[in-house]
Amino acid sequence: MTADVVILTIREGRLAVLLVQRGEEPFRGRWALPGGFVGPSEDLEEAAWRVLARETGLRPKVAHLEQLRTYGAPGRDPRTRVVSVAHLGLVADLPAPVGGRGTTSARFWAVEDLEAEVAPWLAFDHEAILADGVERARAKLEYTPLATTFVPPTFTLSELRHVYEAVWGTPVHAANFRRKVLSIEGFVLPVGRTASPGPEGARQPDLYQAGPARLLHPALLRPRPEQARVMGEPETGEL
Amino acid sequence: MTADVVILTIREGRLAVLLVQRGEEPFRGRWALPGGFVGPSEDLEEAAWRVLARETGLRPKVAHLEQLRTYGAPGRDPRTRVVSVAHLGLVADLPAPVGGRGTTSARFWAVEDLEAEVAPWLAFDHEAILADGVERARAKLEYTPLATTFVPPTFTLSELRHVYEAVWGTPVHAANFRRKVLSIEGFVLPVGRTASPGPEGARQPDLYQAGPARLLHPALLRPRPEQARVMGEPETGEL
DNA sequence: GCAAAAGTGTTCTATGTACACCCATGT
DNA sequence: ACATGGGTGTACATAGAACACTTTTGC
């Protein structure tokens, strides 16, 4: 029984996942999600925190971690039966990680690049686990304040909006985003307009910090892939 | 490693869960979720289907089954470390189950009654697993057509509405429910007005069957516990 | 002044909700 | 006729999207 972790962050404006390069068989040389065995008297989430801390040095309150799903198909590890309890971790941008024992290197990969053809094959069934983790993150941004775990303790609404755009992979209307976020009680709290991080000749934005809300009312829904049919327009092909 | 199953159905208009009475230690005589050990080369979902079939005789296509969450707190089984992959099963109403080995009886319990004070304590951490399963079912009715797994192959919209009311535990406006369901593409298909199941002197309702949709667009949202504050009205107490 | 990004106002539309009314059927 | 549930019409309130416009800052 192992605990694997999908550690997501925003790097250079893009959603990125932490992968380690395996130094041992099976799948030697291939990229994989960081993970480790669960101790005999260790809680599942405890094991996941241990893996996350080993790779990033982060601890609770600085990061978010939740159980994702358990993967136990008989053939997923070619040598013996291994059931993996996958977790999802969300962290702010941070220095390059070091990797743990049995790995030769560790780095963040843009999720977008992994979906491309040139992407490295991931070990085991980690491709499916990653996909599930990304989808969970996308869904959770809608109805929880988890986007704030991706930004510094103090942030602008533009930075927060960039998080949504990076995770969802779609542009977000700035003016309406602002109104919605501010109308959600307890999502963000104003802290004045102290700093001016933008050296590009523009207005200084207001600064905010995360509020006490654990759930977003009303939700901040992502733009759905519009499948509305315009009357009079004939269907253009696919079912 | 075990696979436990939260088997939900609608009985007498109420949401009910299948429990078995344990005939062995630990927790002998207490009620528990049906479950069993996962075979050495058995898939997790396969094991859950096996448990569900043993208790109800139902097979895929007749019922819905999905992974819920994995519970692995070190002390959850007082004797040894047992990690349980919990699953959620939704089935139509059916005859009383028989129970498996190691159990003295099996029956459906109204979830509402279990939440009452007189309820029997459940074995292990099954109380928490049940709560997670019920919440998952409530959420899934909103954006999937799973409510149709609770009713016969052919059903009326009133029957379907009763499912939503039983699972959510709230009344649903009949007229608007009808319009919403029919506007959701692929949710239900009309099959004419063949039968007249109601012997109570009322109009014969239209009959429907489940449609091909796997997701509901737009979603059928449950009434949220209105926490809007009326201006001028002072807060009435609890946090 | 001009460009760039922040922030505000307003309109239009889709959606959700409530309420009133008509329909079909059995007693 | 009338009670009972099924089914339809319609108006009102709310929420979301789109667009234009003003503000602040650096060059």
Side-chain angles (χ1 to χ4, degrees), chain B residues 89-151:
Chain B
L90 307 182
V91 306
D93 195 5
L94 41 83
V98 291
R101 268 173 306 185
T103 68
T104 58
S105 60
R107 56 163 286 205
F108 279 100
W109 288 79
V111 171
E112 203 177 24
D113 295 342
L114 290 176
E115 290 165 348
E117 337 238 336
V118 288
W121 287 6
L122 297 191
F124 307 106
D125 51 0
H126 288 187
E127 191 112 13
I129 300 178
L130 172 61
D132 288 346
V134 169
E135 175 50 34
R136 172 78 66 90
R138 285 177 177 157
K140 279 233 157 184
L141 285 208
E142 294 191 321
Y143 60 94
T144 71
L146 283 183
T148 57
T149 63
F150 283 117
V151 292

Side-chain angles (χ1 to χ4, degrees), chain B residues 158 175 178-179 201-203 205-206:
Chain B
S158 283
R178 174 186 181 76
R179 251 186 305 259
R203 174 173 175 173
D206 295 348

